[in-house]
Amino acid sequence: MMTNLNIDKDSNPGPNILCLSRESFIKDIYELRKRTNFSYSLVMAGFTRFQLAWFPKEMQIQTYYQRYVGLGNDRPIYHSTEYALNLIQMAGKEKKIEAVISANIDYWQDVGFKKACAILQIPFIVISREHPVIPRECDKVKEWYHDFGYIFTGSAIAVAGESSKKTLEDSNINFLNSKIVVTGLPRFDAWRDLDKLKPHRERTLITLLTFTKGYYADETFKNVLSAFCELADEFSNCPVRFLIKTKDLQDTVELEKFIGGNRAPNLMCSHETPLFSVLADTKVAIGYNSLSLVEAAIARAFIALPAWGECKSHGHDVMYSSDNPKVKAIATHLYKKEDLKNLISKHINCPPTTINEDAFDLFVNEFVHISKHKTNSESVSDLIEKCINES
């Protein structure tokens, strides 16, 4: 089986866990490998491509496949289950697979693995990469599952924070003894390796996190971007760089076209520089409705939130509300371009000499779970071990 050749095996001595790779989910697996003794075998490719051969297009839709199967077409599920059984057997030839984990609750690519795990009496566990926080997004998730009548048939779901747990519980997707457990995402453990956070006066970046697609604020982003470029020009003689942190290559290409060639020498645009290293050197992070701003707070960067035009300061579709005192403690809502310029000027010319650590921690834990007593990776491995023992 070709998929078996694309498994990145782990040398840790603990129970062998088969992981179905997804973008960003790999970050969680790498932290789990580093911080626990479980052995995580990562399926890098193939498990989607090969299943296309027997899954009709009508079933290749997130969540919908359960309803489609209910109409009587169970052959794709049969083939996927056989495929998963064979892969689990081959991946566990040297060391038995004790559990399977995925990043998604309801993807059609995983249905055969859930069935195979039930047959083999091993747990299927999700470390959910999706974490709805904005009230409107939470409502959409609940409506989605209600409309399709979706039922989760795995053993457990590990989630990033309380908002995910409540949203899924309210969605009625639980099946039998499955668990929804707040563990936090292992990827956030990477921040624990920073022994000493760089003082603000020594940081060299002002960072704009793009919010161009899916944020319903494209025109306001252009306005923010224009102000950002003007600020870079204004402070071109200072040892400060202005970084536009894009999401991917396409985002970079589009913004490069918008900015043009005549720009300040200290203005950069990049998707390749890891967010981890960017935020650790950032004085102020500018963004809107992005979970990346939580990581900015973990890195002790101050947060600037545009709140003019299409961007809002409060309401049902706002993540960082001006009504929330935990947000107001470390973040500033900006109601016009001049507010952005004044804030950046302040942090460049008069950087804070001390910061309120507790205020940053309260902000972070408002949106994601990070325990002071154990790593998120340890919480996830505890859940996996419990599921293995109960299976």
Side-chain angles (χ1 to χ4, degrees):
M1 181 182 289
M2 292 295 293
T3 313
N4 186 53
L5 300 178
N6 289 314
I7 293 180
D8 177 15
K9 296 185 178 179
D10 184 12
S11 60
N12 281 351
N16 194 12
I17 314 299
L18 188 68
C19 313
L20 305 179
S21 174
R22 294 279 180 193
E23 187 179 356
S24 77
F25 183 51
I26 292 176
K27 296 178 185 178
D28 293 315
I29 302 306
Y30 289 163
E31 291 301 318
L32 285 165
R33 284 178 171 180
K34 185 193 303 185
R35 300 174 193 278
T36 75
N37 71 343
F38 283 30
S39 179
Y40 294 93
S41 297
L42 188 56
V43 183
M44 300 301 293
F47 65 93
T48 292
R49 184 174 70 252
F50 288 118
Q51 294 188 81
L52 293 173
W54 53 79
F55 264 98
K57 287 186 178 180
E58 295 84 355
M59 288 186 71
Q60 295 170 26
I61 302 173
Q62 183 178 348
T63 307
Y64 177 71
Y65 62 83
Q66 276 192 351
R67 179 180 292 183
Y68 189 84
V69 172
L71 298 176
N73 191 338
D74 59 356
R75 296 303 296 171
I77 307 298
Y78 169 79
H79 288 306
S80 281
T81 303
E82 289 297 304
Y83 168 80
L85 285 167
N86 286 328
L87 180 58
I88 292 170
Q89 181 183 23
M90 295 177 73
K93 203 166 186 179
E94 298 176 7
K95 187 178 181 182
K96 179 187 173 185
I97 298 295
E98 303 280 356
V100 176
I101 62 174
S102 173
N104 301 98
I105 296 166
D106 58 353
Y107 274 27
W108 63 269
Q109 296 97 322
D110 295 351
V111 62
F113 288 93
K114 291 174 183 170
K115 295 276 187 182
C117 286
I119 292 169
L120 297 171
Q121 296 185 318
I122 61 174
F124 181 95
I125 300 164
V126 171
I127 305 174
S128 181
R129 63 175 179 166
E130 297 178 358
H131 180 44
V133 176
I134 302 170
R136 190 180 300 278
E137 291 301 317
C138 293
D139 288 345
K140 285 182 179 178
V141 171
K142 287 184 275 190
E143 289 171 11
W144 173 267
Y145 288 130
H146 277 305
D147 288 348
F148 283 98
Y150 182 77
I151 298 296
F152 176 71
T153 58
S155 304
I157 304 169
V159 295
E162 288 293 340
S163 67
S164 279
K165 186 175 191 293
K166 186 176 187 311
T167 298
L168 293 176
E169 287 176 342
D170 291 348
S171 300
N172 296 321
I173 68 165
N174 252 356
F175 180 74
L176 297 179
N177 295 318
S178 62
K179 307 172 186 67
I180 302 172
V181 181
V182 176
T183 60
L185 294 177
R187 71 192 72 170
F188 287 120
D189 289 339
W191 291 103
R192 294 176 182 267
D193 293 338
L194 284 182
D195 295 329
K196 184 180 179 182
L197 293 170
K198 185 183 289 189
H200 275 253
R201 64 182 178 276
E202 297 176 13
R203 298 188 181 202
T204 64
L205 291 176
I206 304 294
T207 303
L208 172 60
L209 303 171
T210 60
F211 50 95
T212 49
K213 296 176 182 176
Y215 295 85
Y216 310 107
D218 289 35
E219 291 305 313
T220 303
F221 174 75
K222 292 176 184 177
N223 202 245
V224 172
L225 178 61
S226 174
F228 192 77
C229 294
E230 290 170 13
L231 279 163
D233 187 58
E234 182 179 336
F235 289 97
S236 59
N237 293 323
C238 297
V240 177
R241 297 170 295 156
F242 286 73
L243 173 65
I244 305 163
K245 183 68 176 76
T246 52
K247 293 177 174 58
D248 50 37
L249 177 59
Q250 183 180 355
D251 198 18
T252 299
V253 170
E254 290 176 0
L255 289 199
E256 290 280 5
K257 287 180 181 177
F258 183 85
I259 297 168
N262 187 18
R263 66 179 76 175
N266 61 339
L267 179 64
M268 304 170 292
C269 184
S270 174
H271 62 278
E272 295 178 324
T273 309
L275 191 63
F276 182 82
S277 58
V278 165
L279 295 177
D281 196 29
T282 292
K283 293 176 181 289
V284 179
I286 306 156
Y288 180 68
N289 272 5
S290 170
L291 203 58
S292 295
L293 291 171
V294 172
E295 292 192 75
I298 295 173
R300 300 314 192 237
F302 285 89
I303 294 169
L305 301 165
W308 74 84
E310 297 151 308
C311 296
K312 302 172 184 176
S313 62
H314 62 280
H316 202 54
D317 51 2
V318 173
M319 184 181 299
Y320 306 108
S321 174
S322 57
D323 297 331
N324 189 330
K326 295 177 185 177
V327 171
K328 291 180 69 174
I330 69 162
T332 303
H333 288 86
L334 311 167
Y335 297 96
K336 53 185 182 295
K337 285 175 65 173
E338 288 70 24
D339 291 346
L340 175 60
K341 292 183 178 181
N342 291 337
L343 180 71
I344 300 306
S345 297
K346 174 185 174 183
H347 277 273
I348 291 176
N349 294 321
C350 303
T353 54
T354 60
I355 63 171
N356 186 336
E357 295 282 348
D358 290 340
F360 279 90
D361 288 339
L362 287 170
F363 175 94
V364 171
N365 282 285
E366 180 78 353
F367 302 101
V368 299
H369 174 78
I370 296 180
S371 173
K372 289 186 177 181
H373 307 294
K374 61 170 66 174
T375 66
N376 292 352
S377 297
E378 289 170 336
S379 295
V380 169
S381 67
D382 287 347
L383 176 62
I384 294 172
E385 185 173 28
K386 183 176 181 181
C387 290
I388 290 173
N389 292 337
E390 291 176 351
S391 63

